[in-house]
Amino acid sequence: MEPLRRVVGVAATLTLDHDAYFGRTAGDGFAVMSHTGLLTILDQRLQVERTVDLGGPVGDLSVAGGRWAWIVADRLWVGHPGEGASSALPGESACRWAPTGEALWSAYGTGDKVQVELRSPESRVTRTVTVPDEFGGSMVRLRHHPHPDAVVLWIAAGQDGQQSWLVRDDGTALTAEHLPADDCLPTMFAPDGTWLLAAGDDRLTMVSWPDRVEQAVLHWRDIDPEAAADGSDAPGGCLMALPDGFVSWSTDNGRLRTIDLATLSVVDEFELAGHPVAERDPNLAGDPGPHGDFGYAVPHPNGLVMSVHDRDTLVLSSLRDWLPARG
């Protein structure tokens, strides 16, 4: 019998008229993009403020300090949704504002290399660095690093492999360092930058930084022995930091577990109210076993978190409610 799952309360729910391909924080609320380029801007209660068609599939979107940047059709746009100035950014590309909005990171692939750029708020390139793309033509993404003058570059080529790089700005030049997280999700750093998490297909590894010493490993077979044995589920794509030294980690089947970083062990499993994990109908295609409808989550600095379920339903909850019960 499956153990009882903790239920996290929900503050608001919204079903969109389009898919929620990816989401970002935006001001006090959130922004959600569709596959086709439809942007929905939401307040902190998931009330729709505005919907804008950005003119085609959006490769990336970033918002910080009231500034917006997005990529459409090999062009990097800076301004406000629906208006702004653009510059060429060819191929597989990504953008991410520095936390203050006073600098903009961009990256694009050139086949066997990826160029990372630091730009002014007006999108003028000020510094660049190039890293190898050993897979060739990979997808690139820019992810959070706790230092305001650094960013994590993720190079992903599906089954061919993935790499994470730490790119830093010292005020005069950019440097790039290959991280010990090959074939993993984008590297997640500790708030003080002294360790990192590498989430792979069969394990979660904590590594000290910058000395690169493995501190602990949590194997998938220890999380779900049955799924590890029969392949009915696997680690998913959403590893999210929680307060007080915990993280949540999703699975391919839409399940959610909390992990205590002090012991690198699973504390419990939970679900969002109204979105239960249940046994799949054996007559349906797909893997057997318990399934949920969780897709991914977007945490906000204000303590709220927007999770996406069944591709078009948004759920608002408190990040602290994702923590396991005390005592």
Side-chain angles (χ1 to χ4, degrees), residues 257-272:
R257 293 180 174 92
T258 50
I259 296 171
D260 185 349
L261 294 176
T263 58
L264 208 63
S265 60
V266 173
V267 180
D268 67 1
E269 182 176 353
F270 66 98
E271 60 192 33
L272 279 296

Side-chain angles (χ1 to χ4, degrees), residues 25-49:
T25 59
D28 292 331
F30 302 90
V32 180
M33 288 299 319
S34 77
H35 270 91
T36 61
L38 194 62
L39 168 68
T40 296
I41 303 171
L42 308 156
D43 68 12
Q44 60 184 344
R45 299 177 303 279
L46 292 190
Q47 298 294 307
V48 176
E49 293 185 338

Side-chain angles (χ1 to χ4, degrees), residues 10-22:
V10 168
T13 300
L14 173 68
T15 299
L16 298 168
D17 294 330
H18 58 77
D19 65 290
Y21 180 42
F22 64 80

Side-chain angles (χ1 to χ4, degrees), residues 25 31 43 65 78 120 127 167 188 214 230 249 261 265 289:
T25 59
D43 68 12
V78 174
S120 70
R127 289 182 278 284
V167 182
M188 176 187 291
E214 185 177 289
D230 64 17
W249 198 10
L261 294 176
S265 60

Side-chain angles (χ1 to χ4, degrees), residues 96 99 143-148 150-152 166-168 189 193 209:
R96 185 179 186 90
R143 292 293 181 253
H144 169 76
H145 187 275
H147 193 285
V151 72
V152 172
L166 174 58
V167 182
R168 287 178 280 200
F189 275 88
W209 186 260

